[in-house]
Amino acid sequence: MNGPVIHDAWTLPVDDNINPYAFSVDLNGQWFLQKGKMVAYYGQIDFHGVGLGHLDHLIAYSFHSPLHAADWVVAEGQGKMVLADRAFDVNSYDLEDGNLSIRSGNLLAFQPSLSLKQSIVPGFLTLLGTGKFVAASNGPVVFMEPPIRVDPQALVGWADCPTPCHHYDHQYLRGFLGAIRSRTGLGGASGEEHQFEFVGAGTVLLQSTEEVVAEISVGETGGTGS
Amino acid sequence: MPFTLLTSRMVEAQVLPGQTLFSQRGAMLAYRGDVRFTPSITGGQRGVRGMIGRRIADEDTPLMTVEGQGTVMFGHGGHHVHVIDLVGDTLYVESDRLLAFDGSLRQGTMFMGSQGGVMGMVRGQVTGQGLFTTTLEGHGSAAVMAHGGVLELPIDQGRPVHVDPQAYVAHRGDVRNKLSTAIGWREMVGRGSGEAFQLELSGTGMVYVQASEEKL
Amino acid sequence: MLAVDLTGDSVKAKNGAMVAYEGEMTFKKKTGGGEGLRGMVTRRLTGEQMAVMEVKGHGTCYFADRASEVNLVSLHGEKLYVESSNLLCTDSALRTGTSFTGLRGSSQGNGLFTTTVEGTGQAALVSAGTAIVLRVTPQTPLQVDPGAYLAHTGGLKQHFQAGVNFRALIGESGGESFQIRFEGDGLVYVQPSERNTIGGEV
């Protein structure tokens, strides 16, 4: 068996995966990073809290999510950063004048050429513009085309399609078993009465989990996150 | 074979009219087409007896039936998924590890005590997984979940396999299992309190082992 | 999962890490026998002990630890420093011992000592996700999140930084306002996860 690949400051990939769980950013300027998602770095890199100091201009352009400001920093300088998140699969995505919404807990980092906004769907963030971002998922991401109905917990994000709507399984609610349940409490719910429904042109990103990557509450109680 | 692995943790199943799938409740990740999900009270065609048996054993994993026409993606908790194709033989699996399976498979419950004698009962206590094991028999596929990847270890005559009960996922074939205590094993595996046993599988068949001693 | 073929020889492994085996195996508990093993046992000053077993026989053993990835490290006479909770299994020819690492204890509240593995042979490390091996040279020091650090080899000096910059990065509530800075010549093994701190379970 071959030994493991040994990386150094020069041979680390340039904005690419090191292995399925780790991503190397070649920093030459600025990137937005979610706190605690960087496991190692080489070089001269400064980290600034969002909303602090001399980066106001950048943040005014790129960062429009006050609820998440406390969880993000700007990395500035020259070097290589290794990003990872609890051994989840990590991948980078390129947007070209696009828009993509993603579960807030899954987003690790993005280039300031992208603009970050809060999605109308609670718990999701929307990236607009052109640039690269890095996201984690529980297992590899599966790309699906609409029309499709998705368990909200399995949803990583969506690109280009119209905002999803809720779908309820009325057949279940009205049906025989529903009646039994309402009278006797037997049978329970199938657990699948509610989905997000996607229609139109675009791509839907799925992961396998019902325990999602820990997310920060958005638009609910205005929680401060953690 | 209705299951296709999309990733190590997600399977896709084709649902066709007139065919039924069973899945663990809440394991549907996404679907397209006209697909109905119904909580299964009986737990399947032969299920009434099976489910009663399981209720007693407190091993009631809620199932739902999946019918209609379309495609369904299944996964649960980010666990690894392993697809096992049955060709007339019987699969023995703990019910909470069953993600989804063909409705064409006959579902039953086996009292492990009848197979492994007293030790079979001990096994239930040791693993906390109950005295009853679900059996699936016939032609069709089952998707089972494991913590970490799954290793398939063949069991041949004269070549028994010893497995940590906590890492045991399922087995198939003509296999006898018994708990034994290898010399020294008790000290070695003393991770928890009751893990003084190892599961010895002998005969002809296959055992599925997960890369972890964690239960689901 | 790690498969080890034994033909009469033996390996040392973390207690409880074997998930299956074929063939004839005997197990022997190692409790403070050799100098090295006592080191591993005494290292765990807080609570649980790191216990080691020796497996000997003919056949195949399968080791795993909580679905972690297994990484093989080949040693040719050098010394590997590793957190004992990340050490799954070693050739029995390798010597294990304990080394005092001083400062880390103050940052982690745990683990003043680290396990060393020395000699020629293979050691298996477990990590959350496949480990990454990063080379440190005098020109390129490396900063590592303490929770992602697994092991290192070579002539490295490590010290702890609690820089203002880094504090901004991980937040005041995170409880890990340190980074480890490695300088010198050597290799650092990093896992793509920061949740498990050096001491094992959080």
Side-chain angles (χ1 to χ4, degrees):
Chain A
M1 178 182 258
N2 293 328
V5 181
I6 296 169
H7 298 278
D8 61 30
W10 296 279
T11 60
L12 271 178
V14 174
D15 295 341
D16 202 353
N17 276 74
I18 306 167
N19 65 33
Y21 318 106
F23 188 89
S24 165
V25 170
D26 183 23
L27 185 69
N28 194 351
Q30 292 154 331
W31 268 72
F32 281 93
L33 276 184
Q34 195 171 156
K35 282 182 187 172
K37 308 296 187 194
M38 191 188 64
V39 295
Y41 71 90
Y42 287 107
Q44 290 300 315
I45 301 178
D46 287 329
F47 302 96
H48 308 275
V50 166
L52 302 173
H54 68 285
L55 294 168
D56 276 352
H57 177 73
L58 174 79
I59 286 151
Y61 174 78
S62 300
F63 202 91
H64 305 275
S65 178
L67 280 174
H68 292 87
D71 305 309
W72 287 80
V73 292
V74 180
E76 188 177 33
Q78 311 269 329
K80 291 272 180 68
M81 303 190 291
V82 179
L83 308 182
D85 187 12
R86 288 163 281 167
F88 288 120
D89 285 62
V90 171
N91 271 300
S92 75
Y93 304 80
D94 290 300
L95 277 186
E96 214 163 297
D97 194 19
N99 83 78
L100 182 141
S101 298
I102 184 165
R103 190 176 289 278
S104 63
N106 290 54
L107 184 62
L108 302 191
F110 63 96
Q111 285 179 328
S113 58
L114 288 168
S115 166
L116 182 81
K117 308 204 172 191
Q118 279 172 223
S119 166
I120 282 176
V121 180
F124 285 80
L125 295 167
T126 301
L127 290 160
L128 298 164
T130 299
K132 196 182 280 288
F133 68 95
V134 180
S137 56
N138 194 334
V141 166
V142 173
F143 297 90
M144 292 280 169
E145 279 178 21
I148 190 168
R149 291 173 183 154
V150 180
D151 184 310
Q153 310 259 282
L155 184 63
V156 176
W158 63 94
D160 298 332
C161 4
T163 301
C165 49
H166 297 284
H167 172 85
Y168 290 93
D169 187 344
H170 284 281
Q171 185 170 6
Y172 166 71
L173 294 173
R174 279 191 327 220
F176 172 66
L177 288 162
I180 290 186
R181 183 168 70 130
S182 66
R183 257 174 236 151
T184 65
L186 275 180
S190 70
E192 319 292 16
E193 300 84 37
H194 169 225
Q195 296 96 32
F196 284 162
E197 180 169 276
F198 290 89
V199 292
T203 308
V204 180
L205 286 67
L206 300 182
Q207 68 184 357
S208 163
T209 182
E210 312 267 320
E211 312 153 27
V212 196
V213 179
E215 68 187 79
I216 298 132
S217 63
V218 176
E220 287 171 3
T221 57
T224 53
S226 57
Chain B
M1 281 194 294
F3 297 110
T4 314
L5 271 182
L6 294 179
T7 73
S8 58
R9 297 151 211 242
M10 201 186 294
V11 285
E12 183 181 83
Q14 301 297 329
V15 184
L16 297 170
Q19 294 182 9
T20 303
L21 277 178
F22 291 97
S23 88
Q24 196 168 108
R25 265 184 225 174
M28 182 272 285
L29 300 174
Y31 71 94
R32 61 173 108 235
D34 175 23
V35 182
R36 292 181 305 284
F37 301 89
T38 318
S40 169
I41 289 178
T42 59
Q45 68 279 49
R46 294 279 178 86
V48 178
R49 221 173 43 179
M51 288 307 275
I52 289 172
R54 210 158 306 136
R55 284 260 159 74
I56 293 167
D58 195 22
E59 203 186 87
D60 175 16
T61 295
L63 293 174
M64 57 183 183
T65 56
V66 183
E67 290 163 306
Q69 180 156 24
T71 312
V72 186
M73 276 59 80
F74 291 108
H76 190 66
H79 291 303
H80 284 249
V81 180
H82 196 74
V83 175
I84 298 172
D85 297 314
L86 290 175
V87 285
D89 51 336
T90 304
L91 180 75
Y92 300 79
V93 59
E94 304 296 335
S95 62
D96 57 0
R97 290 188 180 273
L98 268 177
L99 181 68
F101 58 95
D102 265 340
S104 61
L105 293 170
R106 283 188 305 284
Q107 189 193 350
T109 305
M110 174 148 218
F111 181 57
M112 292 309 282
S114 71
Q115 207 186 25
V118 177
M119 291 313 251
M121 297 174 69
V122 175
R123 178 173 162 254
Q125 286 166 359
V126 167
T127 63
Q129 287 172 327
L131 300 175
F132 293 87
T133 281
T134 297
T135 57
L136 295 175
E137 190 182 359
H139 290 264
S141 300
V144 299
M145 291 183 288
H147 192 251
V150 171
L151 180 70
E152 297 183 357
L153 293 177
I155 305 162
D156 296 319
Q157 290 294 346
R159 276 179 64 86
V161 177
H162 300 81
V163 179
D164 181 341
Q166 304 281 17
Y168 165 84
V169 173
H171 75 269
R172 69 196 287 182
D174 179 19
V175 170
R176 288 178 309 284
N177 63 42
K178 69 169 188 192
L179 282 171
S180 57
T181 47
I183 297 162
W185 179 273
R186 187 185 186 92
E187 286 84 359
M188 294 323 116
V189 197
R191 175 177 286 267
S193 51
E195 272 190 62
F197 300 93
Q198 54 182 327
L199 195 55
E200 182 183 313
L201 297 128
S202 57
T204 313
M206 181 89 82
V207 59
Y208 300 89
V209 180
Q210 68 179 8
S212 171
E213 330 79 297
E214 303 262 305
K215 283 192 290 179
L216 284 184
Chain C
M1 193 156 350
L2 176 73
V4 177
D5 292 321
L6 293 177
T7 50
D9 44 347
S10 66
V11 290
K12 284 184 283 192
K14 191 173 176 175
N15 250 13
M18 183 155 61
V19 293
Y21 71 88
E22 297 167 288
E24 289 297 317
M25 297 289 163
T26 58
F27 313 96
K28 207 191 299 171
K29 192 172 192 174
K30 306 289 267 188
T31 43
E35 169 217 29
L37 291 161
R38 186 203 299 263
M40 289 182 87
V41 173
T42 53
R43 182 198 167 267
R44 303 303 294 230
L45 297 174
T46 55
E48 77 189 77
Q49 290 189 331
M50 168 80 190
V52 179
M53 62 177 172
E54 187 179 64
V55 184
K56 191 173 183 178
H58 293 267
T60 307
C61 279
Y62 299 89
F63 296 100
D65 188 22
R66 293 168 166 233
S68 307
E69 298 277 337
V70 179
N71 309 274
L72 287 177
V73 179
S74 292
L75 294 176
H76 308 281
E78 69 266 44
K79 192 188 265 190
L80 176 78
Y81 297 81
V82 58
E83 294 302 321
S84 68
S85 55
N86 293 110
L87 186 62
L88 180 69
C89 176
T90 66
D91 280 351
S92 57
L94 290 171
R95 294 183 303 282
T96 49
T98 306
S99 136
F100 181 73
T101 59
L103 274 174
R104 185 173 310 128
S106 64
S107 77
Q108 294 294 311
N110 191 348
L112 284 164
F113 298 91
T114 198
T115 299
T116 57
V117 182
E118 203 174 358
T120 299
Q122 286 195 314
L125 309 184
V126 288
S127 58
T130 313
I132 305 158
V133 192
L134 295 170
R135 185 183 297 284
V136 176
T137 67
Q139 292 77 38
T140 56
L142 177 73
Q143 284 74 217
V144 175
D145 182 322
Y149 166 79
L150 276 183
H152 74 267
T153 60
L156 287 177
K157 264 179 30 189
Q158 47 176 320
H159 47 95
F160 287 81
Q161 286 185 330
V164 177
N165 281 336
F166 206 71
R167 196 179 283 276
L169 179 66
I170 31 203
E172 293 73 29
S173 60
E176 35 168 289
S177 49
F178 288 89
Q179 57 182 327
I180 315 176
R181 183 176 168 93
F182 289 95
E183 289 173 357
D185 249 310
L187 299 176
V188 180
Y189 293 76
V190 175
Q191 66 178 356
S193 169
E194 61 292 285
R195 181 170 264 177
N196 299 326
T197 62
I198 285 178
E201 287 86 9
V202 181

